[in-house]
Structure formats: C-alpha cells, structure tokens
Amino acid sequence: MMPDNEHNSVYRQKKIVEILKMLHAGGSFDEAKQIFDSTFSSVDVSEITSAERELIGSGLNPMEIQRLCNVHAAVFKGSINPGSGDSVEEVPGHPVAVIKLENTVITSLLDDELVPVLKKWQQSSDDATPSPRDQEYLQRMKTALADLRTIDKHYARKENLLFPIMDRYGITAPPKVMWGVDDDIRGWIKDAIRLVNAEPTPAKYDIETAIEKAKKDIEEMIFKEEQILLPMVAEVFTPDDWALIQSESADIGYTLIPEPLPWQPSERDYAEAAKRKPSKMAQELNAMAQSMADEQDLKARARPTTPATATEDAESLIPDDLKAKQDDPAALAALPLHLRAEMGQVKAEKPAKEDARAQINVNISQPPAEKKEMPEFVKQMLADEAAKPAHQRRPRITESHLEIGADNHATIVMPTGDLDLSQLTALFGVLPVDITFVDANDIVRWFSDNGDRIFPRTRAVIGRAVVNCHPPKSMGKVQVILDDFRSGAQDHADFWINLHGTKKVYIRYFAVRSPKGEYLGCLEVSQDITEIQQLTDEKRL
C-alpha cells in the first residue's frame, strides 16, 4: 500500500530527486529500485524531467546525467504513466508516427538480423581460413551494420528539429542528455563497423562487445524516446510545431524507411489543440517562468533609478534560456559582458545590441524633403577634389544601404556593388560552402542552403542559442571561441575533420565586426575539401 502523501507533488518531486542523487553518488541500483517501488505506483514523464532539471540546476554536469540516464530509465521502467496523447500523432506521416515506425524497423534489424547472425558466427569454428558460411555471416553483419549506421538520420532529425523547439519551451535538460547518448551510440556503431571490416578479422569477443553495447544503448534510447521524450513534447508542441518538423524532415532524411506520406495539420488538429488543457509540464514551465519574471522585477525595483535609454525602454533582446541563469552566480560570471549588462549585473558602457534597423539606411522613392543649403567651405572642398586628375582623387566609398524604388523593387547597395534580393538569394544558393551566421548575442540568425549541406540545418534552429546546437562535449569549446571573438582575443578559428571516413571537412569560424570594430557576430563556414585535396598540376582557362 502506498503512503497517503504519494499524491503530494512536492513530496514526490523530493523523493525522485533523492533517488537520482543516490544513484549519482554511487548508490546501489537495487536499493534505488526498491525505494522507488515502495514509494510510487507510477510516475509521470514531467516528474522525471523536473527532477533531472533540478539536479542540473544544483550544479550537476549534464554529462554525468547522460552517463547514468540508462540507469534512470531502468529504475522507472514499467511505472511511467502513458501520456494522454492525441491520436493524430499516430496518423501516417505525422512526425511522431514516423519516429515510432523507424524505431520498429531498427528493432527488427537488431533482433531479426544483426544479433542472430552474430550468434551464428560466434558459434562457428575459429579456423584460420573461414568457411564460406562464416564469410556469409560476416558479410551479413557488415550489411546490417551499414544499415544500422543510417540511424544517424533518425537522431539528426531529433537533434535539429525537436530539440530547438523544446528549447523554445524551456525544456533544455533532456536535449543535452539525449544528444550525448546519441553520439555514444554513433560511436559504438562506428567501432563495430571498423572491427568487422578489419583485416585480419579481430577476436570475436571484441566484435560481440561493440555490437551488444550498441544494441543495448539503442534499445534504451528507443524506450526514452517513446516513453519520455514523445509524451513530453506532445504536451507542449502545437500543430504548427509538428508541421515545421514535417516540412524540414525530408532534407535530413529517414532511417530504413521510404519517405513518409505527406502530413499537414487539419482544422480538427487545431481545434483539439485549442481545447487541450494546460498540461502538468506546461503548468510547471509557466510557474518557473513566472517565478523568474517576479524575481527579475524585484531586482529591477531594487536597483537605483537612472534615466531610461531607448534600449531600456525596448523589450529585452536576451533570450529566455539565458535569463534562466540569473540566479546562478557561477553561470552569470561566465556570461559575456554585454549579456551581464542586459541583465543588470554590470554597468553597460553602451547598449548591448543596437536595433539592426538603425544600421540600415532605407531610401524609399518619394517626393524629396526640403534640402538645407550646403555650407560654402564644403562646396569648396568638393570643387577642389573634383578638379584633381582622376588618378589622384580619393575613392568614394558607398555606405551600405537598402533602396526601394517606386515599384517596390528592393536593391541592396554595398561598397563593392549592387544586388537585388533575388540575386542575393540565388548567390547564397550556389556557394560551394555552408554558411551560418550567429549574432552578437550568440543566437543563430541565418544559414545558407545550397541543397547539399554538409551538416543539417533547419528553420527550427533560428533564434536558438548556438551552444545548444552542439552536443554537450563541444559546448565549452564553442563558448570559448565566441568569448574570444567578442573580447578581440582572436578573429578566426579553424578545424578540420574526417566525416564518416569519406569526407575531409574544413570548418572555419570568423568574427564579424563593423567598420568601427564593434562585434556583430560569428560566421561559420564549412567546406568539403576532399576533391580539392586531390588536385594536382594546373587547369587553366
């Protein structure tokens, strides 16, 4: 019989946190499982994620939660309440249905092909010269692992489509944990592929270890996706969110299934979403946001009153996920100076970020305003300059601006030439490099798309903190680069990687500054240089 206070949300949250803390302190899994079973008959997805978020908020590294998230899942397995869910998510083509279908096929690949063939191969002889049947088994494992490697598309859609939208709703801890596990799975599959293709063939035990580890982690991830992640996002995602995910999915690709049937939200979907009562997850997130807003308001009242600037009157440009750090002194100290200034932690010498519109001179064709008479000394300076031979005149530099004609045709005028919007858009579409721009607040604002990107980018990433667009192991390095750009310690950073063993990719980051030296953001440029490295001699026009 469960205690009466099992239904007290504060007590339940405290107990779950205690169980997770015990596990992270090295406590016994069996003891944790026993405490859970004796305390709870069931648990909601939101309660688990809230507990993990509380642990991260108390200073626990997300990588540590990632290390034990399979243990978390095992403790709660069989006791997680099914989400209320809407049957629309089971409609063919809906992103949830697609994810579950892929998981079904992945499970079949593991249980019906890869593992059975592995067992048969293990039971065969260890002769120096493998039999034709052994060679067949090994080839089937190679084929199955090559198919399994396409799980990368399944995870890439999750990381580049679901995670950015989760960020938008303040659900930041689960993406950090899951992304790290996704990368671990990719690594185990890569190791298994390397082993089965090695010459001579390694010990059977080594191959079995890599395959079994990949299988275990994949199965745990399927459980977490279907029992935790999908029910969680179903509580907060809107039909428009799902429509965005569906529209961007084909560009990334699918795992072991053909392109699904097209799906778009119907009037019924919007009607059902409108009737949906605030979920426990949504209520929790709203309460957290309101609490942060109240604390921010109290701090604002406590600060000495100063004359308001235009920037102070405007809505704050600092994203909500950065505001969430305001009660963490260590996190605040690590923030860029201009963000700390926006949050009232330090005195700003100038506005953290000027309105971009103030940096653009828009000339709209209309009756000219009355012009003031040019001073005589200016006229004389211009006359003297005009009288000089052409080769002695100072070049006239055109200030970048936007011109809109009477026919509403827009022309972008730059110091080196003019382009209209269609030309500029087409130009970015054929560049042989991938470009992403991150603004001065470290927020993704734009990316190019030539139809053959090296790394996937989706519209869901626009407006997201760029550090959250990387797996946990890379976040610290990304932040160091951005901070160095902002401080002026460096102006570019270069990296090169072997992608999937088939491409050499050159990745460069550049600090973008105004003519006055003001930091405007970071430009990421990625290029497949595999073919370039093979060039020899010359080929002239």
Side-chain angles (χ1 to χ4, degrees):
M1 182 177 179
M2 299 296 159
D4 293 337
N5 56 359
E6 183 204 1
H7 299 292
N8 181 295
S9 60
V10 175
Y11 170 81
R12 292 171 64 89
Q13 177 80 3
K14 180 180 178 182
K15 205 67 180 176
I16 294 172
V17 171
E18 287 179 1
I19 293 171
L20 295 183
K21 282 185 175 179
M22 185 179 75
L23 290 170
H24 285 276
S28 164
F29 168 82
D30 292 335
E31 183 181 353
K33 180 67 173 171
Q34 183 178 8
I35 294 173
F36 173 78
D37 290 341
S38 65
T39 308
F40 301 95
S41 59
S42 63
V43 65
D44 288 337
V45 170
S46 60
E47 292 178 306
I48 300 173
T49 56
S50 297
E52 291 186 339
R53 187 159 51 245
E54 183 173 328
L55 289 177
I56 291 178
S58 67
L60 186 65
N61 191 322
M63 297 291 286
E64 174 64 14
I65 291 185
Q66 171 191 324
R67 187 177 68 84
L68 289 180
C69 65
N70 285 349
V71 179
H72 297 181
V75 169
F76 304 126
K77 195 169 186 177
S79 301
I80 297 179
N81 289 328
S84 57
D86 190 335
S87 59
V88 67
E89 294 158 9
E90 304 302 325
V91 174
H94 189 286
V96 172
V98 172
I99 290 172
K100 290 183 176 181
L101 177 60
E102 286 179 326
N103 282 339
T104 299
V105 178
I106 291 166
T107 300
S108 177
L109 176 64
L110 292 170
D111 294 344
D112 301 331
E113 175 64 10
L114 180 58
V115 173
V117 172
L118 171 66
K119 299 302 181 185
K120 292 177 182 178
W121 179 69
Q122 286 177 306
Q123 294 167 5
S124 63
S125 64
D126 288 322
D127 296 341
T129 303
S131 67
R133 176 158 291 187
D134 288 347
Q135 292 177 346
E136 177 193 348
Y137 289 151
L138 189 60
Q139 183 56 49
R140 285 173 64 181
M141 284 194 296
K142 292 178 181 179
T143 302
L145 285 168
D147 288 342
L148 187 60
R149 190 172 193 169
T150 64
I151 202 172
D152 177 67
K153 296 178 181 178
H154 178 92
Y155 293 156
R157 292 203 323 277
K158 179 175 62 176
E159 294 155 358
N160 291 278
L161 290 170
L162 271 71
F163 287 178
I165 299 176
M166 292 172 72
D167 266 4
R168 215 182 297 157
Y169 290 107
I171 309 173
T172 56
K176 292 177 182 177
V177 173
M178 279 192 168
W179 199 332
V181 178
D182 291 347
D183 279 350
D184 287 345
I185 292 171
R186 291 177 173 113
W188 282 110
I189 296 173
K190 182 178 179 180
D191 285 347
I193 290 174
R194 176 180 54 80
L195 290 170
V196 298
N197 285 281
E199 293 289 349
T201 303
K204 291 182 177 181
Y205 174 78
D206 293 338
I207 294 176
E208 178 195 17
T209 299
I211 291 177
E212 289 290 351
K213 178 60 178 174
K215 176 180 183 292
K216 180 178 181 296
D217 284 0
I218 289 170
E219 289 175 341
E220 291 287 355
M221 180 55 70
I222 289 174
F223 171 79
K224 283 176 277 195
E225 286 178 353
E226 298 192 2
Q227 300 298 320
I228 298 176
L229 175 68
L230 294 179
M232 181 196 317
V233 298
E235 294 183 349
V236 292
F237 280 16
T238 67
D240 286 335
D241 293 331
W242 291 119
L244 174 61
I245 292 170
Q246 192 279 335
S247 68
E248 298 275 342
S249 291
D251 289 341
I252 297 175
Y254 301 94
T255 296
L256 302 176
I257 64 171
E259 185 167 338
L261 295 171
W263 174 88
Q264 283 294 319
S266 64
E267 292 297 327
R268 172 181 171 274
D269 299 334
Y270 286 108
E272 290 296 324
K275 291 189 299 184
R276 188 169 59 193
K277 295 180 180 180
S279 66
K280 294 181 67 174
M281 172 67 70
Q283 290 172 348
E284 178 193 28
L285 294 173
N286 287 336
M288 290 174 59
Q290 185 60 51
S291 175
M292 287 177 5
D294 292 343
E295 292 176 10
Q296 181 71 7
D297 184 54
L298 289 174
K299 290 180 180 179
R301 293 180 185 177
R303 289 199 295 268
T305 303
T306 57
T309 66
T311 303
E312 291 167 347
D313 287 338
E315 181 180 358
S316 174
L317 295 173
I318 302 302
D320 290 340
D321 57 344
L322 296 181
K323 289 180 181 177
K325 298 181 179 181
Q326 62 186 5
D327 295 322
D328 184 343
L332 281 173
L335 284 176
L337 182 62
H338 70 286
L339 295 184
R340 292 163 58 201
E342 280 280 353
M343 298 170 74
Q345 301 300 317
V346 296
K347 182 178 179 181
E349 297 179 359
K350 53 189 174 182
K353 183 182 179 185
E354 297 177 357
D355 187 340
R357 289 170 297 180
Q359 302 172 18
I360 301 176
N361 177 23
V362 181
N363 298 328
I364 302 178
S365 296
Q366 57 184 359
E370 181 180 352
K371 296 182 179 180
K372 295 183 179 180
E373 182 68 20
M374 184 182 294
E376 290 299 327
F377 76 92
V378 176
K379 292 181 181 179
Q380 186 60 49
M381 287 174 57
L382 294 176
D384 292 344
E385 184 70 19
K388 294 179 181 178
H391 67 279
Q392 293 182 1
R393 296 176 192 167
R394 289 177 297 177
R396 181 175 296 178
I397 299 177
T398 303
E399 181 182 356
S400 297
H401 62 277
L402 181 67
E403 292 183 350
I404 302 178
D407 59 353
N408 288 328
H409 183 81
T411 300
I412 303 163
V413 181
M414 294 172 282
T416 56
D418 307 343
L419 294 169
D420 64 28
L421 290 177
S422 63
Q423 292 170 331
L424 184 62
T425 303
L427 185 152
F428 284 128
V430 298
L431 286 179
V433 293
D434 295 348
I435 302 175
T436 302
F437 177 68
V438 177
D439 72 11
N441 285 332
D442 302 344
I443 303 300
V444 179
R445 292 301 176 195
W446 173 87
F447 62 88
S448 66
D449 186 7
N450 60 12
D452 188 28
R453 285 194 61 93
I454 301 168
F455 303 109
R457 289 285 188 275
T458 67
R459 286 176 293 162
V461 80
I462 302 301
R464 191 183 191 198
V466 69
V467 292
N468 290 339
C469 299
H470 295 78
K473 62 184 179 183
S474 301
M475 287 180 171
K477 298 176 183 176
V478 172
Q479 192 60 59
V480 168
I481 292 172
L482 294 171
D483 290 343
D484 282 351
F485 284 178
R486 188 175 291 105
S487 68
Q490 60 176 326
D491 287 316
H492 70 88
D494 299 346
F495 303 89
W496 46 96
I497 62 173
N498 290 312
L499 187 64
H500 305 318
T502 60
K503 294 181 180 179
K504 176 76 78 173
V505 179
Y506 191 27
I507 307 167
R508 311 191 72 189
Y509 297 90
F510 299 92
V512 180
R513 307 187 193 281
S514 73
K516 296 180 181 179
E518 296 171 312
Y519 180 65
L520 301 179
C522 168
L523 190 71
E524 177 194 86
V525 182
S526 301
Q527 184 176 15
D528 180 356
I529 60 172
T530 308
E531 294 184 1
I532 296 176
Q533 289 187 311
Q534 308 304 317
L535 295 178
T536 58
D537 301 325
E538 292 182 325
K539 181 181 180 180
R540 292 174 176 265
L541 284 174

